[in-house]
Amino acid sequence: MTPTIALDGMGKAHGFLRLPHSRDDSAWGHVMIPICVIANGQGPTVLLTGGNHGDEYEGPIALHDLAYRLEAADVAGRVIILPQMNTPAFLAARRTSPIDGGNMNRAFPGDPRGTVTQKIAAYLNDAILPMADAVLDFHSGGKTLDFLPFAASHVLSDPMQDAACATAARAFGAPFTVKMLEIDDTGMFDGAVERAGKTFVTTELGGAGMARAETVAIAKRGVRNLLTHLGVLRGAVELRESRLLDMPDADCFTFAETNGLYEALIDLGAPLRAGQALARIWPVEATGKPPLDLVAKRDGLLVARHAPGLIKSGDCAAVVAVDLGLA
Ligand code: CA
């Protein structure tokens, strides 16, 4: 992997991370991953990433917008912007790479001698991440999930780092803020960043393979809020009301155990009681068959749902989060 711009230069530069990829349609071809570096004066380095999964759009929109508009004079420190981290997946509008099937968020710490996705992960892990003090990695639900818009941090064993991440997630200012307990972060960018001791914020801002005006506005405001909170941008964080959500255990998740037609019974953000039906699955082989109701296992509100009209056995049907009140 070769950057086409100096990553440690001052001022504003647009370029690429260029990865050799010899293939049928381009013998000496490369994968070109857009990168923008904006540096000025003294301050922290913040790495901003979108397109970790290629079918999630709020992050790429907010980060292309930021890379276009932000000038060096606006910055104290350094901002490194990768709007479409897994560029092959992003250009194919897919969660995973069409080159090697690689899921970027299961590829860390990567392998410089591995597949294209593993090589991208390795370069981010070994060359880019050590430069950063803080990382914001944008996610949304992709084509198959839709989320209430939230920023999140993980429960971490180091209390200082845990507090720094939680405070940064709150400063993002999404309508919801989540503290997540990650049981298995094998291969995830999140874990790689956190184990390196950095401040880390992630998001889920919508989904269904598209981006809404409301969620794009949350992403644009959130990234500027975070940069302001970290001291890279001047001014005050635009504080918004945010509700704190918790997803404490496996009872939050409902998975389909049959195929069929997905009928939502409530919408995102609606309150639920344990035992309440949240969706039903209609068999589609014939008329006259009863539907199967999917039932919430705990009180809370609907924070995510299956997005496509058809659902398959094993798909995540719904996620219920506990509402802890105003953050
Ligand atoms: Ca994602």
Side-chain angles (χ1 to χ4, degrees):
M1 184 86 85
T2 310
T4 65
I5 54 172
L7 301 181
D8 56 0
M10 297 304 272
K12 179 174 182 178
H14 298 284
F16 299 93
L17 301 177
R18 206 179 63 180
L19 176 66
H21 178 45
S22 179
R23 55 198 194 267
D24 287 346
D25 68 340
S26 187
W28 289 4
H30 295 79
V31 170
M32 303 289 275
I33 301 168
I35 185 168
C36 172
V37 180
I38 306 168
N40 182 49
Q42 294 295 310
T45 292
V46 184
L47 171 62
L48 305 170
T49 54
N52 179 329
H53 292 133
D55 60 351
E56 304 173 3
Y57 295 102
E58 283 82 359
I61 293 169
L63 294 181
H64 273 289
D65 181 85
L66 190 75
Y68 180 69
R69 296 185 196 286
L70 196 65
E71 297 299 338
D74 304 327
V75 168
R78 179 166 49 193
V79 183
I80 303 173
I81 306 173
L82 287 159
Q84 51 212 53
M85 198 173 170
N86 195 346
T87 294
F90 178 78
L91 294 179
R94 284 173 48 166
R95 181 174 181 81
T96 58
S97 175
I99 297 172
D100 55 15
N103 180 338
M104 183 62 76
N105 222 25
R106 302 292 181 274
F108 281 84
D111 180 355
R113 284 163 298 282
T115 67
V116 164
T117 305
Q118 289 167 342
K119 284 176 176 166
I120 297 171
Y123 189 79
L124 290 172
N125 191 74
D126 301 341
I128 306 278
L129 188 54
M131 299 171 69
D133 299 294
V135 178
L136 167 62
D137 186 35
F138 276 107
H139 285 259
S140 300
K143 287 177 178 166
T144 64
L145 289 172
D146 196 10
F147 279 89
L148 277 186
F150 67 77
S153 64
H154 291 109
V155 176
L156 300 174
S157 55
D158 175 352
M160 294 271 287
Q161 188 188 14
D162 182 273
C165 295
T167 311
R170 177 64 188 92
F172 184 96
F176 298 90
T177 304
V178 178
K179 191 81 180 277
M180 295 196 292
L181 183 66
E182 190 65 64
I183 292 138
D184 178 13
D185 68 2
T186 306
M188 290 175 69
F189 186 42
D190 312 48
V193 176
E194 288 158 355
R195 275 189 290 280
K198 319 292 185 182
T199 297
F200 180 72
V201 176
T202 186
T203 71
E204 297 290 357
L205 293 178
M210 47 91 84
R212 294 185 292 274
E214 180 203 1
T215 52
V216 168
I218 292 164
K220 287 183 179 181
R221 188 175 64 236
V223 66
R224 284 180 179 270
N225 270 348
L226 184 68
L227 290 173
T228 305
H229 168 74
L230 295 168
V232 173
L233 296 183
R234 284 181 291 273
V237 171
E238 196 185 323
L239 265 185
R240 294 284 179 117
E241 194 167 273
S242 188
R243 295 192 77 80
L244 197 59
L245 301 181
D246 189 19
M247 289 176 244
D249 57 37
D251 278 354
C252 296
F253 301 88
T254 303
F255 295 94
E257 296 182 354
T258 180
N259 299 344
L261 179 63
Y262 186 87
E263 178 186 351
L265 298 178
I266 64 164
D267 286 316
L268 289 177
L272 276 163
R273 307 295 293 179
Q276 183 183 337
L278 51 83
R280 65 176 48 123
I281 301 176
W282 288 96
V284 292
E285 294 75 22
T287 57
K289 308 256 191 248
L292 183 78
D293 280 3
L294 301 176
V295 168
K297 284 170 271 184
R298 57 161 57 248
D299 296 354
L301 51 83
L302 190 68
V303 72
R305 57 156 285 186
H306 182 75
L310 297 177
I311 191 164
K312 302 180 301 300
S313 180
D315 288 350
C316 180
V319 184
V320 175
V322 179
D323 185 358
L324 299 179
L326 286 176

PDB file of all heavy atoms in Angstrom, residues 117 119 121 230 269 292:
ATOM      1  N   THR A 117      -8.874  -7.157   1.259  1.00  0.00           N
ATOM      2  CA  THR A 117      -9.489  -6.614   2.474  1.00  0.00           C
ATOM      3  C   THR A 117      -8.529  -6.713   3.656  1.00  0.00           C
ATOM      4  O   THR A 117      -8.409  -5.770   4.453  1.00  0.00           O
ATOM      5  CB  THR A 117     -10.800  -7.367   2.782  1.00  0.00           C
ATOM      6  OG1 THR A 117     -11.645  -7.303   1.630  1.00  0.00           O
ATOM      7  CG2 THR A 117     -11.530  -6.750   3.965  1.00  0.00           C
ATOM      8  N   LYS A 119      -5.297  -6.714   3.497  1.00  0.00           N
ATOM      9  CA  LYS A 119      -4.199  -5.752   3.282  1.00  0.00           C
ATOM     10  C   LYS A 119      -4.636  -4.334   3.671  1.00  0.00           C
ATOM     11  O   LYS A 119      -3.855  -3.583   4.253  1.00  0.00           O
ATOM     12  CB  LYS A 119      -3.744  -5.771   1.819  1.00  0.00           C
ATOM     13  CG  LYS A 119      -2.890  -6.981   1.470  1.00  0.00           C
ATOM     14  CD  LYS A 119      -2.570  -6.984  -0.016  1.00  0.00           C
ATOM     15  CE  LYS A 119      -1.647  -8.133  -0.380  1.00  0.00           C
ATOM     16  NZ  LYS A 119      -1.593  -8.352  -1.827  1.00  0.00           N
ATOM     17  N   ALA A 121      -6.950  -3.569   5.856  1.00  0.00           N
ATOM     18  CA  ALA A 121      -7.031  -3.568   7.326  1.00  0.00           C
ATOM     19  C   ALA A 121      -5.643  -3.447   7.943  1.00  0.00           C
ATOM     20  O   ALA A 121      -5.429  -2.690   8.893  1.00  0.00           O
ATOM     21  CB  ALA A 121      -7.737  -4.832   7.816  1.00  0.00           C
ATOM     22  N   LEU A 230     -13.054  17.428  20.833  1.00  0.00           N
ATOM     23  CA  LEU A 230     -11.657  16.986  20.956  1.00  0.00           C
ATOM     24  C   LEU A 230     -10.675  18.144  20.819  1.00  0.00           C
ATOM     25  O   LEU A 230      -9.469  17.959  20.950  1.00  0.00           O
ATOM     26  CB  LEU A 230     -11.359  15.910  19.901  1.00  0.00           C
ATOM     27  CG  LEU A 230     -12.137  14.597  20.079  1.00  0.00           C
ATOM     28  CD1 LEU A 230     -12.005  13.723  18.837  1.00  0.00           C
ATOM     29  CD2 LEU A 230     -11.665  13.833  21.313  1.00  0.00           C
ATOM     30  N   GLY A 269     -38.234   3.101  17.474  1.00  0.00           N
ATOM     31  CA  GLY A 269     -38.427   4.094  18.523  1.00  0.00           C
ATOM     32  C   GLY A 269     -39.660   3.851  19.374  1.00  0.00           C
ATOM     33  O   GLY A 269     -39.817   4.485  20.419  1.00  0.00           O
ATOM     34  N   LEU A 292     -46.452 -16.252  11.930  1.00  0.00           N
ATOM     35  CA  LEU A 292     -45.718 -16.498  13.172  1.00  0.00           C
ATOM     36  C   LEU A 292     -45.369 -15.148  13.788  1.00  0.00           C
ATOM     37  O   LEU A 292     -44.690 -14.352  13.154  1.00  0.00           O
ATOM     38  CB  LEU A 292     -44.445 -17.281  12.859  1.00  0.00           C
ATOM     39  CG  LEU A 292     -43.616 -17.674  14.078  1.00  0.00           C
ATOM     40  CD1 LEU A 292     -44.230 -18.868  14.780  1.00  0.00           C
ATOM     41  CD2 LEU A 292     -42.180 -17.978  13.672  1.00  0.00           C
TER      42      LEU A 292
END
